[in-house]
Amino acid sequence: MLAINLKAYKEAIGEGAVKILEAAEKALEETGLNIPLVIAPQYIDIYLLSQKAKKVMIFAQHMDPIEPGAFTGHVLPDAIKEAGAKGVILNHSEKQMSIEDIEKAINIARKLDLITIVCASDPVVAEAISILNPDYIAVEPPELIGTGISVSKAKPDVVKNAVKWVKEYNPKVKVLVGAGISNKEDVKKALELGADGVLLSSAVAKAKNPYEKIKELIEGFI
Amino acid sequence: MLAINLKAYKEAIGEGAVKILEAAEKALEETGLNIPLVIAPQYIDIYLLSQKAKKVMIFAQHMDPIEPGAFTGHVLPDAIKEAGAKGVILNHSEKQMSIEDIEKAINIARKLDLITIVCASDPVVAEAISILNPDYIAVEPPELIGTGISVSKAKPDVVKNAVKWVKEYNPKVKVLVGAGISNKEDVKKALELGADGVLLSSAVAKAKNPYEKIKELIEGFI
Amino acid sequence: MLAINLKAYKEAIGEGAVKILEAAEKALEETGLNIPLVIAPQYIDIYLLSQKAKKVMIFAQHMDPIEPGAFTGHVLPDAIKEAGAKGVILNHSEKQMSIEDIEKAINIARKLDLITIVCASDPVVAEAISILNPDYIAVEPPELIGTGISVSKAKPDVVKNAVKWVKEYNPKVKVLVGAGISNKEDVKKALELGADGVLLSSAVAKAKNPYEKIKELIEGFI
Amino acid sequence: MLAINLKAYKEAIGEGAVKILEAAEKALEETGLNIPLVIAPQYIDIYLLSQKAKKVMIFAQHMDPIEPGAFTGHVLPDAIKEAGAKGVILNHSEKQMSIEDIEKAINIARKLDLITIVCASDPVVAEAISILNPDYIAVEPPELIGTGISVSKAKPDVVKNAVKWVKEYNPKVKVLVGAGISNKEDVKKALELGADGVLLSSAVAKAKNPYEKIKELIEGFI
């Protein structure tokens, strides 16, 4: 899986998000590869992007572990689903959740048929989260996020241990790695170390040419 | 102003939100009244509703006081604006903010030309918030929210004092009242006590016939 | 282990906390039993109680996962240690932490030689937390806290599964159960189901005669 | 008032805090000045310091706006009072509170006869908080905290406006300034600009010779 988190980058809201989506669709088509490709925009752009997405899956960057009710300003899982989202990122280091809330959110996602990517800052936390049975765990050492120093090169043991420990305990859970991933080599290296894919952000969201960048990253999966 | 907060009610997401918007547009047209009418849906429904809104203004239920950047799962003011929102509710009792964050959010809203409604639990807090110079302050005693016991009937002094203290200090700020508002009489009473409008939620969001309910509430303004 | 959380109960601060400590010391002595007995008072009472404690161990109700520095209003682990605390409760349902913060706090506790009791709302979360290697896990279904309906009677499967799953994965971790524990029978039942002890609060903190109540509870361990 | 926030500095916990207290008592005595001098240590050190304090007043760095009850890990105002604290700092930029919680905490403090210092990041927020009627407001531009660049020198208008706006609205409220205050000149300058005192931290907490440093600061009041 190639998962692209658009965060709150100026270049990646509204029409900017649409352009990145179109670049991703085109890159998927041209390379002919059939990897799951996720784009996680601002909540507000989920509806618009879901309308236009073909192969790309639109995810939310977070959701609150709530049932419908009186929750002003919260992100209702049912609303995400109805707007067309196929899944959700949970517990990103910029939006941490209690372990109880992660469990609740995973259970709600399962009922609504939303795919879950739960973030973990290190292999031990990744292993703990694997017990909560998400679909994906994304291991992202927070100290490398946004640095351009790739976790797969700078901390190969983080990737190896996360993959080993999660798979030993719960082989159904897929492992993504993130933090500093910015080119084809970083992707290749992550896959060699056993990861099932990557989660990245600024390398695409702030790319001058998102199409070329996404195409390059997809080629890392070949 | 008649402001309707759809919160996270099941009846009021996606197509449900569209129906409430259409009911509001029809009620505005039929009554011929020209009061500002606000609907605040889930973030995810802002784009869809903004596309369809004519006279009704679509607001966000909250936004984070941030500039564009690396903020996963946050609600970026620029994204709200680009999706078509005309304003934002801040500091609702179900989504409280620090006073520093309220100030930052009001300043960002002003730059983006978004109208602000800041909630306050009592007249003293309302007066304090008036110094931060929002467009509207909505006074909502939290103990009455969702009860159907109207603040304008049960606690007229709360309305009177909020209006008096806010206007004395900062006459440009308009005062809404909320909590338990559910019919024409509640609206009339609020206006008699000096309020500039009402903020309500379940009375419309869970109404069997949103059109009849909104029409009744608008008639309270005649 | 018998762990008593004094929370923020009026009867259990300052001199009230000292009385409960003295009752516990006396009960331990009279029964002659040598079980680890923990009292977790308000932060502010830790120093006073630690000065007076003999067999009883004084714990903090929480600590922040921080190293010394500029953290106004935070609870510094080093300060807890220096004041005489022997351990700390983490992630109580009334003071939830992110999974990353639980991991950090456990690691800091280990360096400072503080014993950790990490709370979990159900057996799945308990198992996940066992991977973070705390000394104790206290399983407390939040819906039973403060009800007087004992988890060991009302939800024996919660106790059995928590014990089984934690011990299977990490046999070094001891399992406490909590929520509604209020008498000798509740304790006996918890131990029969495999627990290593109990965590309780109001049954002692609000007892008319803390000495009699603690003695009764200790006798559940015989 | 000279208010010293010990934060979570390693040099300023337990015996370290006692030394700073003794230095402050000695400096007060030697200079013969009768200014209110506050030390705000870790919660855990409040009891110990209150036992030893003569002229110096011990404050908490924060308290939760709660009545006694089931609040694990919270800081109960009644417990602070019983441990000997004379007051409390609220809404420090490292421990921000919602405006509703600040109001509740001030009301609880008044009932318990605790003096309140509420922090504000700028003059506008200071004026807003003055409506909540605390005893003191401490204006601290967060960007200067811990820099050693004194607010009174670098941003004299912040001090002047805070004093002017607060006093105009609520003349009973006293105004402290903080951020970067580290020597006699900074104190003098703050008082010249109209402030009633200063709030500082690292200059004392990390001083090699706390006695000399506190003496110097007190001399700024002459």
Side-chain angles (χ1 to χ4, degrees), chain C residues 6 11-22 39 41 45 49:
Chain C
L6 300 186
E11 305 82 357
I13 60 175
E15 282 311 304
V18 171
K19 273 181 203 157
I20 292 171
L21 169 62
E22 290 169 350
I39 291 180
D45 293 325
L49 265 62

Side-chain angles (χ1 to χ4, degrees), chain B residues 91 96-100 103 120-122 124-125 127-129 131-132 169, chain D residues 91 96-100 103 120-122 124-125 127-129 131-132 169:
Chain B
N91 197 44
Q96 292 192 6
M97 301 169 74
S98 78
I99 186 165
E100 266 80 10
E103 188 197 32
S121 54
D122 62 47
V124 175
V125 170
E127 190 185 0
I129 288 172
I131 288 172
L132 306 178
Y169 186 83
Chain D
N91 197 44
Q96 292 192 8
M97 301 170 75
S98 77
I99 185 165
E100 266 80 12
E103 187 195 34
S121 54
D122 62 47
V124 174
V125 170
E127 189 184 2
I129 287 172
I131 288 172
L132 306 178
Y169 186 83

Side-chain angles (χ1 to χ4, degrees), chain B:
Chain B
M1 171 184 281
L2 173 60
I4 302 165
N5 176 3
L6 300 186
K7 295 194 178 182
Y9 289 119
K10 194 165 189 63
E11 305 81 357
I13 60 175
E15 281 312 305
V18 172
K19 272 181 204 158
I20 292 170
L21 169 63
E22 290 168 350
E25 294 284 3
K26 190 174 157 202
L28 267 182
E29 206 163 312
E30 299 237 340
T31 55
L33 267 189
N34 215 358
I35 55 164
L37 199 158
V38 162
I39 292 181
Q42 282 280 304
Y43 306 123
I44 258 172
D45 293 325
I46 288 176
Y47 176 82
L48 176 60
L49 265 61
S50 295
Q51 295 294 310
K52 293 180 187 283
K54 289 172 229 161
K55 291 195 166 174
V56 172
M57 294 183 290
I58 306 304
F59 273 41
Q61 292 177 17
H62 167 80
M63 69 183 193
D64 290 302
I66 54 169
E67 303 291 339
F71 297 102
T72 300
H74 289 59
V75 179
L76 177 67
D78 302 73
I80 283 180
K81 177 70 182 182
E82 184 154 340
K86 298 283 184 275
V88 62
I89 298 173
L90 296 168
N91 197 44
H92 191 278
S93 66
E94 292 154 13
K95 191 79 180 175
Q96 292 192 6
M97 301 169 74
S98 78
I99 186 165
E100 266 80 10
D101 281 351
I102 298 173
E103 188 197 32
K104 271 186 227 163
I106 290 174
N107 290 341
I108 292 173
R110 196 168 298 128
K111 264 192 292 179
L112 294 174
D113 205 23
L114 290 167
I115 300 165
T116 47
I117 301 175
V118 183
C119 297
S121 54
D122 62 47
V124 175
V125 170
E127 190 185 0
I129 288 172
S130 76
I131 288 172
L132 306 178
N133 232 351
D135 298 300
Y136 292 82
I137 292 175
V139 187
E140 292 202 307
E143 66 278 15
L144 295 180
I145 292 179
T147 59
I149 301 167
S150 145
V151 61
S152 49
K153 279 184 192 158
K155 302 206 166 180
D157 282 355
V158 163
V159 183
K160 269 193 274 184
N161 288 338
V163 170
K164 194 179 157 207
W165 298 349
V166 167
K167 302 282 181 178
E168 250 174 40
Y169 186 83
N170 193 341
K172 282 177 302 181
V173 177
K174 295 195 178 65
V175 177
L176 308 181
V177 293
I181 303 284
S182 62
N183 58 43
K184 192 202 286 194
E185 284 314 302
D186 297 338
V187 175
K188 269 186 189 304
K189 187 81 183 137
L191 300 180
E192 276 168 35
L193 292 164
D196 298 297
V198 297
L199 170 61
L200 50 80
S201 179
S202 54
V204 169
K206 304 178 100 173
K208 281 189 192 154
N209 189 329
Y211 166 69
E212 289 298 340
K213 180 47 80 183
I214 296 173
K215 193 162 151 252
E216 176 195 337
L217 292 164
I218 291 176
E219 285 165 0
F221 283 84
I222 300 175

